[in-house]
């Protein structure tokens, strides 16, 4: 059992990221959705008698994954664009021809809230089946007052209906909408003067995020957005240095953002500044993989410099990944994170990246009983085995919500019959 205990107040950094708090022959007790005991099986069973006992003998038990960066709520899909990437197109080429984010925006604007809720719930079911129990989601496919609020309301409804925990981020600054193409600063005015105040007042979002990159929002515009967020008491995040080195990591450190995400092109100085300010670096290798960019964030430099590194999927219409196990595999293969570091990044550090470090991300007394059971003998199978779902059971809020133990039994057909 991997408890990853002891970092509820602060994310793990450096060598601590390799410490998983492993208890061999461990057990835990749950009451009313919360963990009430964690320890050796013989100690826990001496103190507690359960009404319902689950065995995980020979399996690996760990905290439910926390996905700290997704764009869950949108309509449509972009598989046609994927083919264009295969043939050499770039994200910016597609965005400039009103595809990519702008295509999904058109489709999302046309879609009713109820339908967006339905789509979001389905996607969460898949994430849950792969071991994720908490997820952050961003708006940003509305890009006007009405549709941004619609997406955030859908996220709220999804959180009420689903057993997974959903944390909401406002990201009106995801792209410049077509109608403001000639006057992007006016769109920033709209966000700061109208949309963000409405969002803050509604309580529909806890964070504000901005896509700072060449051809999207420049550093001045990003700073305006994040300063406005700060004034309105929305915590700050930034899509930083994803496709170019623009100084996104430095901005995150300057403003004191909770996290800076992507960081594929960040400078050593930017990373140092993040370390000094305790900004969490959220790495998203699947986004690099989907866009076929071949440049991953320098997670080794970040870990060695003391940046608390978290890991997410960045699920969105252009990066269709719902499985944190695959993010872990990519972090190991492409970014040379060890399985233990990637697991820490996908649990406790991811929880801190969305300010939930005291509620989820580790197996400790008082935390929500969000637990994933993998059908593998130890944690090193994460990253090593990446082609099938390793999850056997998921417990969310103390309830068994996924049980694949029986369902997957193969049917053997005899050759002679
Ligand atoms: Zn993103």
């Amino acid at each position: 059992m991997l408890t990853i205990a002891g970092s509820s107040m602060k994310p793990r950094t450096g060598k601590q990221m390799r410490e998983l708090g492993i208890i061999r022959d461990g057990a835990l007790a749950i009451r009313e959705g919360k963990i009430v005991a964690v320890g050796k099986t013989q100690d826990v069973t001496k103190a507690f008698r359960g009404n319902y006992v689950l065995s995980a003998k020979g399996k690996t038990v760990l905290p439910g994954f926390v996905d700290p960066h997704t764009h869950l709520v949108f309509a449509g899909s972009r598989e046609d664009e994927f083919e264009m990437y295969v043939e050499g197109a770039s994200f910016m080429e597609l965005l400039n021809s009103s595809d990519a984010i702008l295509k999904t925006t058109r489709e999302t604007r046309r879609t009713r809230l109820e339908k967006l809720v339905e789509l979001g719930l389905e996607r969460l079911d898949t994430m849950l089946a792969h071991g994720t129990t908490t997820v952050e989601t961003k708006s940003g496919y509305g890009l006007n007052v009405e549709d941004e609020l619609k997406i955030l309301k859908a996220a709220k409804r999804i959180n009420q209906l689903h057993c997974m925990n959903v944390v909401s981020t406002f990201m009106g600054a995801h792209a410049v909408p077509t109608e403001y193409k000639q006057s992007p600063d006016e769109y920033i005015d709209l966000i700061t003067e109208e949309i963000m105040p409405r969002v803050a007042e509604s309580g529909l979002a806890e964070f504000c995020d901005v896509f700072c990159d060449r051809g999207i929002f420049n550093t001045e515009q990003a700073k305006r957005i994040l300063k406005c967020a700060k004034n309105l008491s929305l915590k700050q995040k930034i899509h930083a240095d994803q496709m170019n080195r623009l100084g996104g990591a430095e901005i995150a450190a300057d403003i004191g953002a909770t996290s800076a995400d992507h960081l594929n092109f960040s400078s050593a100085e930017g990373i140092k500044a993040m370390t000094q300010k305790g900004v969490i670096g959220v790495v998203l290798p699947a986004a690099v993989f989907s866009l076929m960019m071949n440049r991953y964030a320098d997670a080794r430099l970040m870990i060695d410099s003391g940046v608390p590194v978290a890991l997410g999927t960045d699920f969105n219409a252009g990066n269709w990944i719902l499985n944190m196990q695959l993010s872990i595999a990519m972090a190991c293969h492409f970014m040379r994170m060890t399985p233990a570091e990637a697991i820490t990044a996908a649990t406790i550090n991811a929880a801190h990246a969305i300010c939930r470090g005291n509620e989820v991300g580790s197996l400790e007394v008082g935390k929500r009983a969000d637990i994933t059971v993998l059908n593998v003998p130890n944690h090193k199978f994460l990253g090593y085995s990446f082609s099938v779902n390793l999850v056997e059971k998921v417990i969310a809020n103390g309830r068994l919500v996924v049980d694949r133990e029986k369902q997957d039994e193969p049917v053997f057909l005899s050759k002679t019959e």
Side-chain angles (χ1 to χ4, degrees):
M1 184 164 73
L2 320 179
T3 64
I4 320 181
S7 297
S8 293
M9 303 308 290
K10 245 172 48 176
R12 294 196 176 199
T13 54
K15 292 229 174 348
Q16 290 175 337
M17 285 189 68
R18 295 180 186 227
E19 292 165 16
L20 297 175
I22 295 175
I23 303 178
R24 276 172 228 290
D25 191 15
L28 47 80
I30 299 168
R31 188 190 287 140
E32 289 169 4
K34 290 269 188 328
I35 297 172
V36 292
V38 186
K40 284 271 184 199
T41 302
Q42 54 176 23
D43 299 334
V44 173
T45 48
K46 219 179 274 167
F48 290 87
R49 182 170 309 144
N51 293 330
Y52 184 60
V53 179
L54 266 181
S55 166
K57 204 171 174 130
K59 315 280 162 82
T60 300
V61 176
L62 74 164
F65 296 123
V66 176
D67 191 342
H69 184 137
T70 82
H71 308 247
L72 180 76
V73 182
F74 61 85
S77 57
R78 304 212 301 262
E79 67 280 14
D80 294 342
E81 288 181 12
F82 174 65
E83 204 165 282
M84 294 160 79
Y85 286 124
V86 173
E87 293 185 309
S90 75
F91 176 80
M92 284 314 297
E93 279 165 26
L94 291 169
L95 191 64
N96 288 334
S97 53
S98 288
D99 285 323
I101 296 169
L102 297 174
K103 176 173 188 270
T104 303
T105 299
R106 286 192 296 279
E107 290 181 309
T108 304
R109 283 178 175 177
R110 281 201 293 270
T111 305
R112 286 181 307 120
L113 185 144
E114 294 73 23
K115 181 67 189 171
L116 292 175
V117 170
E118 193 186 310
L119 291 167
L121 289 171
E122 274 172 25
R123 292 164 190 163
L124 283 193
D125 284 346
T126 307
M127 289 181 173
L128 182 72
H130 290 84
T132 303
T133 48
T134 296
V135 67
E136 181 261 13
T137 180
K138 305 171 197 297
S139 68
Y141 292 118
L143 311 183
N144 61 33
V145 181
E146 188 192 333
D147 292 302
E148 283 295 306
L149 287 170
K150 178 177 76 178
I151 294 167
L152 291 171
K153 282 178 193 158
K156 182 180 178 180
R157 190 80 192 113
I158 290 165
N159 187 34
Q160 289 164 341
L161 292 172
H162 204 277
C163 66
M164 276 173 68
N165 203 34
V166 180
V167 174
S168 233
T169 296
F170 165 65
M171 197 177 174
H174 193 198
V176 178
T178 316
E179 56 276 24
Y180 285 92
K181 203 170 178 180
Q182 303 311 323
S183 52
D185 280 319
E186 281 175 33
Y187 181 56
I188 304 288
D189 295 341
L190 177 75
I191 293 177
T192 55
E193 287 162 23
E194 209 178 326
I195 313 183
M196 214 189 311
R198 289 272 297 273
V199 169
E201 190 189 66
S202 70
L204 285 167
E206 184 174 332
F207 294 90
C208 171
D209 198 338
V210 53
F211 193 168
C212 179
D213 218 308
R214 196 164 293 148
I216 320 250
F217 294 101
N218 63 33
T219 51
E220 286 315 306
Q221 292 166 331
K223 284 184 205 162
R224 272 187 68 196
I225 296 282
L226 295 178
K227 275 184 193 148
C228 175
K230 204 170 197 177
N231 290 336
L232 292 168
S233 301
L234 292 170
K235 287 172 258 187
Q236 306 99 51
K237 289 179 169 287
I238 177 169
H239 281 57
D241 308 317
Q242 181 182 357
M243 290 173 288
N244 297 282
R245 179 174 296 176
L246 226 64
E250 287 87 340
I251 293 176
D254 249 10
I255 194 115
T258 305
S259 75
D261 300 33
H262 289 286
L263 305 165
N264 305 329
F265 288 84
S266 293
S267 67
E269 300 79 61
I271 285 168
K272 195 168 162 207
M274 282 174 62
T275 310
Q276 283 160 354
K277 289 295 188 70
V279 179
I280 297 173
V282 178
V283 294
L284 303 162
V288 181
F289 189 77
S290 287
L291 296 177
M292 296 181 203
M293 290 181 8
N294 290 325
R295 166 107 180 202
Y296 291 86
D298 194 344
R300 282 266 51 95
L301 177 66
M302 285 194 251
I303 293 172
D304 296 342
S305 310
V307 172
V309 173
L311 176 66
T313 59
D314 194 19
F315 168 71
N316 68 71
N319 177 38
W320 207 284
I321 169 173
L322 295 156
N323 178 0
M324 282 290 280
Q325 298 164 60
L326 190 57
S327 287
I328 289 172
M330 290 178 175
C332 298
H333 285 259
F334 300 129
M335 303 163 73
R336 303 285 170 149
M337 289 170 74
T338 65
E341 288 169 338
I343 292 167
T344 298
T347 53
I348 190 68
N349 281 9
H352 281 289
I354 51 172
C355 299
R356 293 295 186 280
N358 58 354
E359 286 172 37
V360 296
S362 61
L363 303 179
E364 287 177 87
V365 171
K367 283 208 167 174
R368 204 165 60 224
D370 287 352
I371 300 154
T372 291
V373 181
L374 304 179
N375 187 18
V376 290
N378 64 64
H379 74 273
K380 291 177 184 168
F381 273 78
L382 277 169
Y384 164 67
S385 169
F386 55 84
S387 63
V388 293
N389 187 5
L390 303 179
V391 166
E392 182 182 284
K393 290 182 176 64
V394 180
I395 293 162
N397 237 330
R399 281 192 314 141
L400 180 65
V401 287
V402 173
D403 190 354
R404 301 174 69 236
E405 192 175 14
K406 294 182 181 69
Q407 180 183 312
D408 270 9
E409 275 176 25
V411 181
F412 291 106
L413 293 173
S414 160
K415 277 180 181 153
T416 54
E417 276 176 286

